[in-house]
Amino acid sequence: MKNNNKHSSHRHHNHGDMDHLKHNNSKTEQQRDHKHHDHHAGHEHGGHGGHEHHHHGNFKELFLKSLPLGIIIMLLSPMYGFELPLQFTFPYSDIVVAILSTILIIYGGRPFYKGAVDEFKQKEPGMMALVSLGISVSYLYSVYAVITSYVTSEQVMDFFFEFASLLLIMLLGHWIEMKTIGEAGDAQAELAKLVPKDAHVVLEDDSIETRPVADLKVGDLIRVQAGENVPADGTIERGESRLNEALLTGESKAVKKGPGDEVIGGSTNGEGVLYIKVLETGDKSFISQVQTLISQAQSQPSRAENIAQKVAGWLFYIAVIVALIAFVTWMVIEDVPTAVIFTITTLVIACPHALGLAIPLVTARSTSLGASRGLLVKDREALEIAQDADVMILDKTGTLTTGEFKVLDVKLLNNKYKKEEIIALLAGIEGGSSHPIAQSIISFAEQQDIRPTSFDSIDVISGAGVEGKAGGHRYQLISQKAYGRNLDIDIPKGATLSVLVENDDAIGAVALGDELKPTSKELIKALKKNNIEPIMATGDNEKAAQGAAEDLEIEYRSNQSPQDKYELVKTLKDEGKKVIMVGDGVNDAPSLALADVGIAVGAGTQVALDSADVILTQSDPGDIESFIELAQKTTRKMKQNLFWGAGYNFIAIPLAAGILAPIGITLSPAVGAILMSVSTVIVAINAILLSLDPKNNG
């Protein structure tokens, strides 16, 4: 089961939400097990699911070492019965070619045969099975042709040229593919580069010892100079600086930090020297968690990828059947050598490489792109589901609003006082309180350079506010409800009003509120444009909720406990709607887990790993908009690639089988291999062109 408190993200003080649900809740275990199973199935699958990454370096090496051998074979063997200008033969050169081809198929053909064995083990023959079949048929028939030539003294045409060119093109194609996959999925490597190899540890006598980062322990004090990257997660003990966390959180501006603030390993220190106490190292560090998320997301098969696997399987059977029909037909019409050529070309051209890469490449690119924006997509299906969403439920405090109380307005209700005096009295009477509202009034006075009035005594009035004495006068700062009389003043929507009373007369009032984030309105517009209905669900009271909802022009639910939010998600899902839930990784864990897509906002350094499908490392509503855009564009690219990867075969296979031979249009195996490689490159380029619009939220 998911433990919702495992990684508690910093809690936004949403007063109605503080009764966090402790009970564990998850998308059913069945679903979890199913995903787990899928994850492994995708990982073991031959072809592009399983061994491709193991051979990333190998394909380059295999190609470069096979190339001289292949060139010699092609120079000694006539192409399709025609001798090319550079070709030459000598007595028994065909035996030399057969021996070299045997070496080439054993060395260069190895990954294809391994892949084919994996595919058959999985009972899912696909691209590797097709390549193996193509090179095997051309090699075996050619060896048979050479032997027959010597036994019968009749010249039988071999296809060593086609075999060698085909194998070289396949190896080259794979090398290019692997390079592309590597480039598209480099987010992890980029993150790893951010962590320095060594750290400067401050010893008890204040001397500095340089240690490998791997040897750091929690509690160590480390010094980070200006311009250096922070080696581990920790808190600043001494020093102030601006830190650039762009690659980790997607926040492009450098963030000012000082003593007591948390820093993330991998962030770049700006101008100051920092002394940092290590909090997390190794696997528990933020970077490591992000890397884990990225690799999980990339190895988890999505719906589109499962479709691609099925289509690849169908293509195998279609290609084998068409190749057999072509073989029999051409053997009857022409002869065996011609039949073999068409058979090999059909098998080669049907290779669904483009199809095998169609989805993984888009996924790798999409994951990297998301990570650079601070969007960590844990469950890849979330991208496919999100673009069909009907409803998005949004938490208010900390998601749509800043989560911090601010003085929105101070009103003067008595001519005896100036506004500055009212602010001084407000700050003075709140002087002894650590409540967020009190703190916001005190900092408001500081910003205006107003010294708080000195109070002789301050007492709390239970459930109403505070009272105190200053300069012989008795003052109270109480809620509007406790004041009990109507004040005819305009206050900002959704604000809470506190009234300053002197000897039972209202002399001033302060309106406090939780401000909307600058990008909240843009997000709501974008959701409506995409036909996703936004609903705000908040633990705040009716009045505060109504104010924010009217400002955003959206539907809302107030006084919602985490349990109420869970019920709201359940009700909407029961109505057949696809629901995205956006909220705090801790307070809203149950509803994040239940929703079709759960987005944890503001997870900060403690990633809400357990309950959400998507984690936004910033608390910026604009990132939710980026996620919806990423979902739509990723799904569109997947569909385009699927269409191209599968669609081209329906034209290419009949062509390869010789359907247009009567009008003089035929393809050789080498041309078939080139066409197949070109289709793969097109799919790769299409995936790499996936990009997000630049952020416009300053």
Side-chain angles (χ1 to χ4, degrees), residues 156-351:
V156 182
M157 190 165 58
D158 64 60
F159 301 116
F160 284 123
F161 183 98
E162 286 75 10
F163 156 76
S165 58
L166 168 60
L167 191 55
L168 289 178
I169 290 166
M170 298 309 294
L171 287 171
L172 178 64
H174 266 70
W175 173 21
I176 293 167
E177 287 164 20
M178 296 311 142
K179 202 168 166 356
T180 319
I181 283 185
E183 282 166 9
D186 269 347
Q188 280 167 282
E190 286 302 312
L191 286 171
K193 278 186 216 159
L194 292 177
V195 179
K197 290 192 171 48
D198 296 313
H200 310 300
V201 181
V202 183
L203 304 177
E204 282 177 17
D205 61 357
D206 273 351
S207 63
I208 302 287
E209 179 184 288
T210 303
R211 259 185 230 163
V213 168
D215 296 346
L216 282 180
K217 293 181 183 65
V218 173
D220 280 348
L221 186 66
I222 49 178
R223 186 182 73 187
V224 182
Q225 304 277 65
E228 289 183 337
N229 280 12
V230 178
D233 296 357
T235 47
I236 297 173
E237 294 278 302
R238 307 201 298 276
E240 281 189 358
S241 185
R242 288 186 175 276
L243 285 109
N244 187 327
E245 301 176 339
L247 265 166
L248 302 164
T249 63
E251 173 54 66
S252 53
K253 296 188 197 78
V255 187
K256 194 169 185 196
K257 298 206 173 183
D261 289 333
E262 284 193 9
V263 291
I264 305 171
S267 49
T268 309
N269 182 20
E271 66 276 357
V273 177
L274 294 176
Y275 288 84
I276 296 164
K277 192 174 188 179
V278 177
L279 286 182
E280 296 287 6
T281 58
D283 292 350
K284 293 200 178 94
S285 70
F286 179 67
I287 278 200
S288 180
Q289 290 179 1
V290 172
Q291 285 177 300
T292 305
L293 283 183
I294 291 170
S295 62
Q296 277 174 359
Q298 288 182 349
S299 61
Q300 223 174 30
S302 62
R303 291 184 299 181
E305 203 164 352
N306 291 332
I307 292 168
Q309 291 286 19
K310 279 194 185 121
V311 175
W314 296 336
L315 278 172
F316 172 80
Y317 295 113
I318 291 167
V320 170
I321 292 163
V322 173
L324 285 172
I325 294 168
F327 182 77
V328 173
T329 310
W330 285 103
M331 197 168 64
V332 172
I333 299 172
E334 292 275 339
D335 51 23
V336 173
T338 311
V340 170
I341 278 288
F342 282 113
T343 306
I344 296 164
T345 310
T346 305
L347 292 174
V348 169
I349 214 157
C351 255

